[in-house]
Amino acid sequence: MSKNIAKEFGIEEALKELGIGKEINGTAIGNDFFASGETIESYSPVDGQLIGTVKCTTKEDYEKVVEAAEKAFKEWRMIPAPKRGEVVRQFNEELRRLKEPLGKLVSYEMGKSYQEGLGEVQEMIDICDFAVGLSRQLYGLTMKSERPGHRMFEQYHPLGIVGVITAFNFPVAPWAWNVALAWVCGDPSIWKGSEKTPITTLACQKIIANVLEKNNMPAGISCVVTGNAEVGKFMTKDTRLPLISATGSTPMGRAVGQDVAARLGKSLLELGGNNAIIVTPNANIKNTVIGAVFGAVGTAGQRCTSTRRLIIHEEVYDEVKNAIVNAYKQIRIGNPLDENNHVGPLIDTDAVKMYQDAIEKVKQEGGKMLVEGKVLDGEGYESGCYVEPSIAEVTNELQIVQDETFAPLLYLIKYSGDLQNAIDLQNGVKQGLSSAIMTDSLRDSERFLSAEGSDCGIANVNIGTSGAEIGGAFGGEKDTGGGRESGSDAWKIYMRRQTNTINYTTELPLAQGIKFDL
C-alpha cells in the first residue's frame, strides 16, 4: 500500500475542485464562512493523516446564522415551489459534476469504500431528482362540508427553519434527504454535520452556496454550524427552529427528543438499528450469504441498517454458518479508496476500543466466537483503525446482542419450528429499523410483511437489511425513533398543515346544526 494515499488517490485535487482549503471556518451562511470558536482537526481513518482544521461555531456565531435563516425564510417561502425546485435542480447538476471528488472525500474522511462514497453522493442526486418533481406536487385535499354554500380544503405551508443533525457514518446523504425536501417546501436549513467528518460537511455547503449565489437567492437558505454536542443543543433548544431532524445513536436521539419536546417542537429521529435477517429452510443460500456478508461488513459495520443478527432455521443452520465463515475468509481489508478492497477502517480508535470491548462481552456473557477479528497493524494499517470482522454464535437474550454494536460484529442465532418463532426473535430487541427474510415461500414472505410480522420501519424479502432507495420513506420504530426521511410522503413533516373553510353564502350556518340567533 502506498505510504502517501492522499497523493496517490488525488485527495488534494479533490479538495481543490470542491473549493476546500486546509484551514476552514466551520460556520457558514451561504458562501460566507466564519467562526470564532475552538479548532478541531479532521484526521483520515484511512492513513491517519490530517485532512484539515476547522474552527467551530460559538453561541454568537450561531445567533448570526439563525438571524440570516429567519430573514431568508421570509423571502424563500414566497418564491413559487417550482422555482424553488429549479434551485434544487441546479444543485443536483453540481452534484453530478462533482460526484467523483465528493465521493472520494467521503471515502477518505469517513473510511467507507470509494464505491460506497460514490453511492452516497448518488443518493444525494436521487433525492434531488425526487424533490424537483415534488416541487410541483405539494398537494392538499378538498373535503365536502356539511354546511351548504361552504367549501373545505387543506393546504400545506412552509414550516420554518429546519435544523439537521447528522452522523459520521453517512456524512452527506441524510443531510440531502432532509434539505432537498425542506428547500422545495420553502424552508431554510441549518446543518450540524458530525465533528468527525467536518470537511465533507463544508464541501457540501460550498456546492449549494455557489448555486444560491448564482441565482441571487438569500444566503441563509443553507447554513452550517460545526462543533460538539453543545452546538447541537443550541439548535434543539431553540424555539426558532420548529423542526429538528437528527440522525445518530439512540441515546443522542433521546436527548434531542427531550429538548425539542420540552418546547413543543417537532423532531424527526432516525436512530439506532439492531437489524436481522431471517433465513428459512427454503432460502436461497447463495443470495443469503451475499446479502448477509455485505450487510454485516459493508462500511465496516457502521451503517444504521447494518446486519447485526442472522436468525437461521435449524435445518439449514450449519450450512449457512459454514458458508458465512468461509465467505469471511475472502474479505479484503485495507485502503477503501482501492477498489480491490471490501472493507475499510472504523472511524477512529475509540470505535476500535468499543469493538474490542463488545467481543469480550460476547465471551463473558456465554457467546461463542466463530471468527474473532483482531486489530490490524503493520504497513497500510498505521492509523490503528482497521479491524477484522467477527462472527459469534449467541442467543437473542444476551445483553450485548440487545444493544447495538456499531462495528462489524455479526451474531448467528438458531431457531426451530414455526416462522413465528423467528419473527419473535427478530422483534425481540428495542430497535426497529430494518429487517429482512430470505425465503422461497410466498406464505412466509407475506406473513413476515403482515401485521404479525416484522415490527420494523423497513421489511425486505430476499434482499439484505442495508441499501434503501430514496423513493420509499426511510426510518424505523421503537428505539429507532419513529421518524421518516426521504421519499413517499415524508415531505409533509417539513410543512405546516392548515384546514380552511370558506362560506360563500349570505348566511352564517353553524356546524352540527347548532342554532344561535340574535
Side-chain angles (χ1 to χ4, degrees), residues 155-177:
Q155 59 180 330
Y156 289 85
H157 293 303
L159 179 65
I161 304 169
V162 172
V164 182
I165 300 172
T166 58
F168 73 86
N169 60 322
F170 276 78
V172 296
W175 169 68
W177 296 345

Side-chain angles (χ1 to χ4, degrees), residues 29-259:
I29 300 169
N31 237 333
D32 180 15
F33 288 72
F34 62 98
S36 52
E38 64 181 10
T39 297
I40 58 174
E41 297 174 325
S42 178
Y43 289 92
S44 171
V46 176
D47 56 5
Q49 296 302 304
L50 179 67
I51 305 173
T53 59
V54 178
K55 193 169 284 188
C56 294
T57 303
T58 64
K59 181 63 173 175
E60 292 72 22
D61 298 334
Y62 174 77
E63 288 299 322
K64 293 177 183 177
V65 165
V66 177
E67 288 174 14
E70 285 186 310
K71 182 179 178 182
F73 178 55
K74 292 177 182 178
E75 182 176 344
W76 187 235
R77 66 185 175 183
M78 298 308 296
I79 294 172
K83 291 191 175 182
R84 298 194 295 255
E86 169 59 18
V87 173
V88 174
R89 187 196 67 78
Q90 292 178 35
F91 176 53
N92 188 358
E93 289 300 313
E94 285 299 286
L95 289 174
R96 292 175 187 273
R97 183 177 69 83
L98 297 169
K99 180 178 178 179
E100 183 176 325
L102 184 56
K104 197 170 288 186
L105 178 58
V106 168
S107 176
Y108 188 62
E109 188 172 32
M110 185 268 147
K112 63 176 59 178
S113 74
Y114 179 43
Q115 284 303 313
E116 289 184 80
L118 292 174
E120 191 171 345
V121 180
Q122 185 61 48
E123 286 190 46
M124 300 175 76
I125 293 167
D126 292 343
I127 194 63
C128 286
D129 281 341
F130 182 92
V132 172
L134 181 66
S135 69
R136 295 180 182 271
Q137 301 178 74
L138 301 174
Y139 299 135
L141 295 170
T142 59
M143 293 80 73
K144 296 300 181 183
S145 173
E146 65 184 52
R147 290 168 284 186
H150 285 60
R151 181 166 73 90
M152 287 181 64
F153 62 96
E154 287 182 347
Q155 59 180 330
Y156 289 85
H157 293 303
L159 179 65
I161 304 169
V162 172
V164 182
I165 300 172
T166 58
F168 73 86
N169 60 322
F170 276 78
V172 296
W175 169 68
W177 296 345
N178 283 275
V179 296
L181 301 189
W183 290 336
V184 298
C185 288
D187 305 325
S189 64
I190 299 174
W191 178 24
K192 180 195 173 299
S194 171
E195 61 268 37
K196 296 184 179 184
T197 53
I199 311 296
T200 307
T201 298
L202 296 166
C204 290
Q205 175 66 11
K206 273 281 185 184
I207 298 171
I208 182 59
N210 290 336
V211 172
L212 294 173
E213 204 170 75
K214 177 183 174 183
N215 285 272
N216 296 313
M217 291 293 175
I221 290 169
S222 180
C223 302
V224 163
V225 293
T226 300
N228 57 21
E230 190 59 34
V231 175
K233 281 189 172 292
F234 296 162
M235 300 167 66
T236 60
K237 292 179 177 291
D238 193 341
T239 58
R240 295 168 294 182
L241 277 60
L243 171 65
I244 298 292
S245 174
T247 303
S249 68
T250 296
M252 181 275 277
R254 288 190 193 282
V256 169
Q258 289 170 6
D259 283 350

